[in-house]
Amino acid sequence: MTNTLYDALIAPHAENNAIFLTLDDGTDISYKSFVSRVAQIAHVLTDAGIKPGDRVVVQAPKLMDTIALYGACVQAGAVYLPLNTAYTQSELNYFIEDATPTLVVCDAINEAEITAICGGDTHVMTLSKDGNGSLTTRADAQNTGFPTVPRGPDDLAALLYTSGTTGRSKGAMLSHKNLLSNAKSLTDLWQITRDDRLIHALPIFHTHGLFVALNTSLLAGAQVRFMAAFDIDTVIDEIPSSTLLMGVPTFYTRLLGDARLNRELVKNMRLFVSGSAPLLAETHTEFEDRTGQRILERYGMTETNMITSNPYDGERLAGTVGYALPGTEVEITDNGKPVAPGEIGMIEVRGDNVFLGYRNMPEKTAEELRENGFFITGDLGVKSEDGRISIVGRQKDLIISGGYNIYPKEIEDVINDIEGVLESAVFGVAHPDFGESVMAAVVLEDPKLCAEAIATSVEPKLARFKHPRRYIITDVLPRNTMGKVQKNVLREMYSAIGSG
Ligand code: MCA
Ligand code: AMP
C-alpha cells in the first residue's frame, strides 16, 4: 500500500544520515532522525484516536517538531491545518468551528483559551517555544517505526485557510497530488539537489515556507538552515555557507538596506527566489547591481500552490513572474474566454497543482473553480507571445503586507460592528518595508468616537499584522456612480501621509 506524499518526501530518508535541519542553536538534525521523529508523532496521533481524513489544527512555534508533526499527519493519513501564530482567539474560534479538528496542537500559553474554544470533543496538546509540551513528552515515549497509513493522490493532505473577499476565511483543500506535483516541478525547475543548503527564514504556516521551501528540500534531500524567524544578521551570517534563499520581497529590501550585502558575500549562493507579493523592478535591478545575481520571481496562491516561475536558465525579467510551471496551464481570460497575447485579463490556472475546493463552501468553490478545472485567481495579468506572464493588478480587494495577505473586507466587518461607526473602507498604501500597509477611513455615526477607541476595539479581534496602522475619520467615503467605494481615490488621497 502506498502513501503518495510520505513515499516521495519522507520514506526515502529512512537511512539517510545527511543533515536535514540546522537549528539556531547549531544543532543538526539528520534526515534519518527526522523520519524517526515523524513516526513517533504519528503514534501520538493514532493513540489520540485520529483517523485518516481527520483534521489536526496546529498553531505552534517554528520548531523541528512542528515540521515532524506535518510529516506525522501525512504518515498517519490526517489532514494538516497550520495557523498563523498571530491569530487571536476570535479568529481561532472560526477556524476550529469550521474545520472540526480531532486535535489542536498549540503553545502552552494558549492552551486554556483553546481548550475553552474546543469544548470537550477535541484533544488539545501543547508544543511550546522551548520545544517542550505534552505532544513532545508523549512522542518521546513512542516507537520510532510506524505503519504508514495508505493515502492516494486525491486524498486530502492539508487544509490551509485563506482569507476571502467576502470577509470569511475559506479552507483550501489540498491533496497529496497537489502538493507533490508542485514540489516536483519546482525541484526540477530550480535544480534543487542534496548539495543545496537553503536559508529558511519564512513562517511555516503558509504555502511558501511550508510547501515551497520544505517539500522541495525533502524531495531533493537538501540541507535546511532552519531559522525561528527572519533576522537580518543571522541571514547575512548564513549566506556564505548556503546556496539558496526563498523569501518575500521584504527580505530583499532589508538585505539591500544592509551594507554587508555584496558580491563577495553571495559568491556561494546559487539562487535567490522571491514570491508571495510583487517584487518591485527596482529591487530586482538594485539587487543585481549589488550582488551580480538576478532574483528569480515566481507566482502562486494557497489554492494552486506555485503557478509560474521565471526560468532558472534563461532571462529572469524584472516585473514578470515567468512561465507556467510544467504541467500547469495558465490562461488570461475575459469571462473565461482566452484573450490575445498582450491583452489584460483574469489569470486562470489548471493542473495537478490546483486544489480540490473550499471546505464546507460548495457555492464559493463553484464560483472560483470552473467545471473545466480552471481556477479563477482574482489576479489580472498579461501573457506575452512566448507565454511569459506579468501580473498587472488584482480584481480582488487584497492588501499584501510583508507577504501576508490581508483582506480589507474582514477588517471593515470588524470596524463596522463597532457601535458608533457608520461605515469604513480599508485600503493599502505603499510602505517601504512591507510593500503595502493597512489604512482605514471611517465614517462615524457617533461623533464622540475617536480613532484610538476604534483601534482598541479592533485589537482583540484581529491578528496584529492586519491592524490598520492609521485610522482616518472622514465625513464621507468617495464613491463612483454605481455607489462603489473608490479605494484608488482613498489611496491617492492618503498615500502622502503614510500609514505610520
Ligand atoms: C510583522 N508585522 C507585520 C508583518 N510582520 N505587520 C504587517 N505586515 C507584516 N507582514 C508586525 C508585527 O505585528 C509587529 O507589530 C511588528 O511588525 C514586528 O513583528 P516581527 O515579527 O518582529 O516582524 P518582522 O520580523 O519584521 O516580520 C516581517 C517579515 C514577516 C519577516 C516580513 O512578516 C514575514 O516573515 N513575512 C512572510 C510572510 C509569508 O510567509 N507569506 C507567504 C504567504 P508591532 O510591533 O506593532 O506589535 S503564502 C503566499 O502568499 C502564496 C501562496 C505565495 O505565493 O507564496
Ligand atoms: P495567498 O492568499 O496567500 O494564497 O496569496 C496569493 C496571492 O499573492 C496571489 O493571488 C497574488 O495576488 C499574490 N502573489 C503571490 N506571488 C506573487 C508575485 N510574485 N507577484 C505578485 N503577487 C503575488
Side-chain angles (χ1 to χ4, degrees):
M1 290 298 260
T2 58
N3 176 310
T4 304
L5 261 183
Y6 185 84
D7 296 349
L9 301 187
I10 302 172
H13 300 299
E15 297 305 326
N16 181 358
N17 285 310
I19 297 169
F20 172 34
L21 304 173
T22 301
L23 310 180
D24 284 331
D25 65 3
T27 309
D28 288 329
I29 312 284
S30 71
Y31 268 100
K32 186 176 175 174
S33 61
F34 177 72
V35 176
S36 300
R37 191 60 173 169
V38 167
Q40 287 184 309
I41 299 181
H43 278 294
V44 176
L45 300 183
T46 47
D47 284 0
I50 285 160
K51 296 186 190 55
D54 283 1
R55 276 79 51 215
V56 175
V57 165
V58 180
Q59 193 195 34
K62 187 177 172 184
L63 298 167
M64 187 277 275
D65 269 346
T66 316
I67 321 178
L69 177 55
Y70 160 54
C73 287
V74 171
Q75 191 174 19
V79 178
Y80 188 70
L81 195 173
L83 291 177
N84 194 323
T85 46
Y87 287 150
T88 62
Q89 187 176 359
S90 87
E91 288 163 308
L92 287 176
N93 232 325
Y94 170 78
F95 297 122
I96 291 173
E97 212 168 84
D98 191 64
T100 57
T102 311
L103 168 68
V104 179
V105 176
C106 64
D107 194 308
I109 51 175
N110 300 324
E111 186 180 10
E113 237 173 40
I114 286 178
T115 305
I117 294 173
C118 289
D121 301 336
T122 305
H123 296 277
V124 177
M125 292 183 205
T126 58
L127 177 54
S128 300
K129 267 210 175 80
D130 61 5
N132 294 319
S134 54
L135 179 84
T136 43
T137 309
R138 288 174 196 220
D140 291 345
Q142 299 286 348
N143 207 308
T144 56
F146 178 86
T148 303
V149 172
R151 291 269 94 182
D154 294 321
D155 284 322
L156 268 195
L159 186 61
L160 261 64
Y161 278 81
T162 154
S163 308
T165 40
T166 52
R168 280 184 66 207
S169 280
K170 301 168 286 185
M173 300 188 289
L174 295 155
S175 70
H176 282 240
K177 179 170 74 188
N178 295 153
L179 301 183
L180 184 58
S181 65
N182 214 239
K184 281 184 172 164
S185 299
L186 298 176
T187 308
D188 283 355
L189 195 73
W190 297 343
Q191 303 185 11
I192 302 172
T193 70
R194 68 179 66 175
D195 295 331
D196 275 306
R197 184 173 193 260
L198 169 76
I199 297 178
H200 193 303
L202 289 159
I204 53 169
F205 40 71
H206 282 310
T207 296
H208 198 165
L210 182 62
F211 302 138
V212 181
L214 288 174
N215 285 353
T216 53
S217 299
L218 284 161
L219 196 62
Q223 268 191 52
V224 176
R225 173 63 182 86
F226 194 64
M227 297 175 188
F230 181 87
D231 171 70
I232 187 77
D233 293 327
T234 317
V235 171
I236 295 262
D237 283 350
E238 295 294 341
I239 282 178
S241 52
S242 304
T243 61
L244 197 54
L245 173 70
M246 295 184 192
V248 295
T250 300
F251 284 19
Y252 294 103
T253 47
R254 287 189 184 178
L255 280 168
L256 281 167
D258 196 297
R260 292 170 290 181
L261 180 79
N262 58 31
R263 280 171 193 256
E264 178 58 24
L265 185 83
V266 306
K267 68 174 196 267
N268 295 328
M269 286 291 288
R270 187 174 68 72
L271 185 62
F272 290 93
V273 178
S274 176
S276 309
L279 182 77
L280 294 179
E282 68 198 55
T283 309
H284 183 100
T285 313
E286 213 186 307
F287 200 85
E288 185 178 7
D289 290 346
R290 279 271 287 284
T291 64
Q293 301 234 14
R294 299 181 78 112
I295 298 170
L296 182 153
E297 185 172 8
R298 60 47 172 192
Y299 157 59
M301 276 186 85
T302 304
E303 289 91 332
T304 61
N305 298 286
M306 296 307 100
I307 302 170
T308 69
S309 169
N310 268 278
Y312 182 76
D313 293 314
E315 195 55 5
R316 297 180 198 162
L317 272 191
T320 81
V321 291
Y323 301 94
L325 292 178
T328 301
E329 292 169 79
V330 177
E331 296 278 18
I332 309 294
T333 69
D334 177 11
N335 273 324
K337 286 205 195 68
V339 299
E343 278 182 30
I344 294 176
M346 174 63 69
I347 302 179
E348 299 197 19
V349 53
R350 175 163 73 179
D352 286 348
N353 52 318
V354 174
F355 77 141
L356 304 180
Y358 296 114
R359 177 180 166 82
N360 294 336
M361 290 186 178
E363 303 83 15
K364 268 271 145 217
T365 303
E367 267 171 41
E368 296 182 26
L369 193 55
R370 296 185 191 280
E371 268 176 20
N372 65 7
F374 271 98
F375 174 70
I376 306 165
T377 61
D379 293 310
L380 299 172
V382 281
K383 200 196 265 193
S384 67
E385 289 283 356
D386 78 337
R388 190 185 278 276
I389 309 290
S390 305
I391 301 173
V392 299
R394 297 174 205 134
Q395 200 172 66
K396 53 194 172 193
D397 189 13
L398 162 70
I399 299 167
I400 308 183
S401 168
Y404 284 139
N405 284 11
I406 300 168
Y407 281 86
K409 178 74 167 68
E410 185 186 4
I411 304 166
E412 288 160 3
D413 284 351
V414 169
I415 297 174
N416 295 347
D417 269 354
I418 300 170
E419 215 174 293
V421 168
L422 182 66
E423 59 173 350
S424 64
V426 169
F427 54 101
V429 292
H431 188 277
D433 187 34
F434 290 138
E436 282 186 287
S437 75
V438 184
M439 247 186 185
V442 185
V443 181
L444 300 179
E445 214 163 39
D446 173 1
K448 289 196 292 298
L449 196 65
C450 62
E452 290 70 32
I454 298 172
T456 306
S457 300
V458 166
E459 208 162 280
K461 304 216 173 76
L462 295 172
R464 177 81 189 116
F465 69 89
K466 297 179 191 168
H467 293 185
R469 299 295 149 154
R470 188 178 287 233
Y471 292 87
I472 291 137
I473 307 293
T474 176
D475 288 340
V476 65
L477 297 175
R479 289 195 141 83
N480 65 14
T481 48
M482 310 287 288
K484 194 169 182 279
V485 174
Q486 293 170 300
K487 297 210 172 169
N488 53 333
V489 173
L490 286 168
R491 255 189 296 279
E492 275 165 33
M493 285 167 68
Y494 296 112
S495 281
I497 64 169
S499 60

